[in-house]
Amino acid sequence: MNVRDSEHLIAELNQQEPYQITDELSDADLIIINTCSVREKPVAKLFSEIGVFKKYKKPSAKIGVTGCTASHLGKEIIRRAPAVDFVLGARNVSKITKVINTKHAVEVDTNFDESSYNFAEYRTNSFKAMVNISIGCDKSCTFCIVPATRGDEVSIPSSLIISEITKSVALGAKEVMLLGQNVNNYGRRFSSSDEICNFTKLLQQISMIDGLERIRFTSPHPLHMDDEFIEEFASNPKICKQIHVPLQSGSTAILQKMKRGYTKENFINRCEKIRKLCPEATISTDIIVGFPDESDSDFEETMSVLNTVRFEQLFSFKYSARPHTEAMDFDNQIENSLAGERLTRLQTRHTQILDEIMDSQLGKIHRVYIDELKPNGKVSGRADDGKLFFIDGSEELLGRIIDVKVTRTSRGALDGEII
Ligand code: 5AD
Ligand code: SF4
């Protein structure tokens, strides 16, 4: 979501005057720090980064802070770091050309509705397009700051989504990544139209776009994963067979305290349905350990879901207490050292599972979409199920979907040869 917001920022700036991206801090006329605030660490990092930028930047260069930390700290950022010229919250991206010319501008309205705003075109990789389908989040997971920084959930009109994807396909994209906090809650609320559409129907419409070959999306919510959606996922050949299903915890008691709206059994049932209809699908997840009150047996429940579902990718975090969240005030916050031990156990077990999955890949054939040039005569791309491949090759392979045989396995990426 933040990567796409950064592209939108660049697109809007380029409408006013052409900008070039530089790796040299001392060359930059404008420095934008696009921030996350989902855990505490990146917020602390922001202020140390501002210090570094201030020291090495051109004296005339402006510094802007955008994104979720901008939304939740607002003018406090300029008070703590007066070197910052402007603060622009998530969901206010379209105002970038306004704030860069107003000293100490602060635009952090979380009710601002950008759902029908037609952003200018800019993509860092023309082979694959990220496209937002909704903004904000209507859930109230007790650990999560996002509803406070990105505001209420609003779906983007399907006509706008279709025209954006069609445009990106005409410019060379064969793959789209649909983005939203809760993609499968699509259609819950539009800002002004009387449109009726849900995620499954949106996927069907998108898959009719000529020249588009692959559809990915992130993230669906386990609660909204109905049978109709899973059937579409399994049967639509354009939908990539990789799905991220955020678990958060395997303990029903903790899930209740998190206000996630599903039980351990519901979650496993959804994953089993996916596997039954689509055995080749890879499932990935997010897990938080050390949520307030998490006992040893709650944590064992999480381990048991890991062992049952065997997630191919795992994004795991120690719980971090955040402002504007209910869980911040819960009793029985867990010791950092205990959360650390649990995280290590979870990750160690996941690594074993991943090694087993990857080892079984030797000699297998995947259809890989080559979308990046790498150093040392290599290109990279992803298989339909999300596996990352490195292959010997050069520029002429870019943008092609080819059959590749796995020649060497490792945890992160597979080596392959074209067959
Ligand atoms: N502490 C730790 N992890 C969190 N996440 C969200 N809020 C927190 C928090 N307070 C994780 C969730 C979410 C992912 C994007 O970040 O697992 O799915
Ligand atoms: Fe946060 Fe929950 Fe919304 Fe995801 S669904 S963004 S975890 S509040």
Side-chain angles (χ1 to χ4, degrees):
M1 191 74 75
N2 276 10
V3 174
R4 182 60 183 145
D5 286 346
S6 296
E7 289 184 343
H8 279 152
L9 288 166
I10 297 169
E12 290 301 303
L13 285 167
N14 280 343
Q15 292 285 96
Q16 199 173 60
E17 57 176 304
Y19 278 79
Q20 265 184 329
I21 295 180
T22 176
D23 289 331
E24 265 317 308
L25 178 56
S26 56
D27 279 347
D29 299 304
L30 174 64
I31 298 159
I32 296 180
I33 313 172
N34 193 16
T35 60
C36 174
S37 64
V38 88
R39 284 168 292 277
E40 199 177 357
K41 226 180 188 169
V43 179
K45 218 168 116 190
L46 166 67
F47 288 98
S48 63
E49 285 210 332
I50 295 171
V52 174
F53 290 154
K54 188 182 150 200
K55 191 163 167 200
Y56 296 107
K57 75 181 181 72
K58 262 194 223 175
S60 61
K62 288 180 182 164
I63 301 181
V65 176
T66 63
C68 284
T69 305
S71 302
H72 102 266
L73 292 182
K75 57 179 185 293
E76 168 75 10
I77 295 176
I78 296 178
R79 203 188 58 73
R80 279 174 67 180
V84 171
D85 290 280
F86 64 86
V87 174
L88 182 72
R91 199 176 172 132
N92 290 256
V93 173
S94 58
K95 298 177 189 163
I96 181 68
T97 48
K98 184 171 134 196
V99 295
I100 55 161
N101 296 315
T102 317
K103 184 76 184 160
H104 285 170
V106 177
E107 291 282 349
V108 291
D109 181 358
T110 50
N111 287 317
F112 189 64
D113 184 0
E114 288 187 320
S115 64
S116 302
Y117 187 82
N118 210 336
F119 282 100
E121 182 72 26
Y122 175 85
R123 304 201 179 270
T124 35
N125 182 328
S126 60
F127 298 107
K128 47 187 180 183
M130 286 175 275
V131 173
N132 289 73
I133 67 163
S134 63
I135 59 177
C137 179
D138 266 3
K139 296 271 182 285
S140 39
C141 303
T142 55
F143 53 81
C144 185
I145 195 175
V146 169
T149 60
R150 290 192 176 266
D152 292 343
E153 186 169 326
V154 187
S155 300
I156 292 171
S158 61
S159 55
L160 210 61
I161 297 170
I162 300 289
S163 74
E164 189 184 337
I165 300 174
T166 307
K167 204 188 292 171
S168 70
V169 169
L171 294 170
K174 286 184 181 156
E175 180 176 304
V176 67
M177 168 67 93
L178 308 174
L179 300 171
Q181 302 299 332
N182 267 311
V183 285
N184 53 348
N185 204 25
Y186 179 79
R188 178 188 167 90
R189 183 190 305 121
F190 293 96
S191 69
S192 59
S193 74
D194 50 12
E195 180 173 357
I196 297 174
C197 191
N198 66 17
F199 189 51
T200 303
K201 291 203 177 68
L202 181 72
L203 288 170
Q204 288 164 347
Q205 282 182 42
I206 293 173
S207 61
M208 310 227 303
I209 296 174
D210 270 348
L212 180 71
E213 306 216 14
R214 290 182 157 199
I215 304 169
R216 298 187 193 275
F217 49 82
T218 197
S219 292
H221 193 295
L223 184 64
H224 301 294
M225 212 165 269
D226 53 30
D227 285 353
E228 183 199 48
F229 160 73
I230 298 177
E231 281 154 20
E232 184 66 27
F233 171 79
S235 62
N236 186 328
K238 286 196 181 179
I239 299 180
C240 290
K241 303 304 178 241
Q242 172 192 25
I243 189 160
H244 187 71
V245 197
L247 169 65
Q248 311 302 0
S249 169
S251 152
T252 298
I254 295 292
L255 287 169
Q256 228 163 24
K257 289 173 190 160
M258 289 176 162
K259 294 204 177 149
R260 290 289 291 173
Y262 53 86
T263 61
K264 175 188 181 187
E265 288 72 28
N266 298 149
F267 183 93
I268 292 176
N269 170 283
R270 294 297 76 192
C271 293
E272 281 172 350
K273 178 93 189 181
I274 294 168
R275 289 259 157 82
K276 184 160 169 246
L277 298 191
C278 191
E280 73 274 29
T282 59
I283 303 179
S284 59
T285 202
D286 290 346
I287 290 176
I288 298 174
V289 299
F291 186 78
D293 232 6
E294 184 187 66
S295 64
D296 286 343
S297 68
D298 289 319
F299 176 66
E300 293 309 325
E301 299 279 291
T302 301
M303 290 293 285
S304 101
V305 179
L306 171 65
N307 284 317
T308 305
V309 181
R310 294 172 65 83
F311 303 104
E312 180 151 332
Q313 272 195 77
L314 167 67
F315 302 91
S316 51
F317 316 97
K318 270 195 269 184
Y319 167 72
S320 163
R322 308 301 296 127
H324 311 293
T325 63
E326 269 187 69
M328 192 181 163
D329 300 320
F330 286 0
D331 292 337
N332 301 330
Q333 301 277 331
I334 302 296
E335 280 286 322
N336 188 42
S337 57
L338 180 57
E341 278 167 33
R342 288 179 182 164
L343 190 66
T344 306
R345 256 192 74 201
L346 186 76
Q347 291 177 341
T348 306
R349 177 66 192 124
H350 174 253
T351 303
Q352 291 167 344
I353 292 173
L354 183 62
D355 284 345
E356 286 160 21
I357 295 173
M358 289 308 193
D359 286 351
S360 72
Q361 289 295 313
L362 202 63
K364 294 240 163 85
I365 293 164
H366 287 268
R367 276 188 87 63
V368 177
Y369 180 32
I370 308 292
D371 57 22
E372 257 185 74
L373 205 53
K374 292 287 173 191
N376 307 325
K378 300 256 181 208
V379 290
S380 74
R382 288 196 185 268
D384 187 87
D385 71 0
K387 288 186 181 63
L388 179 64
F389 276 80
F390 285 92
I391 301 159
D392 287 333
S394 54
E395 225 158 330
E396 71 273 3
L397 288 177
L398 287 175
R400 286 179 54 196
I401 299 178
I402 44 181
D403 284 333
V404 174
K405 184 168 160 185
V406 179
T407 53
R408 200 181 66 87
T409 68
S410 78
R411 255 170 229 161
L414 300 167
D415 285 347
E417 65 185 20
I418 300 168
I419 55 164

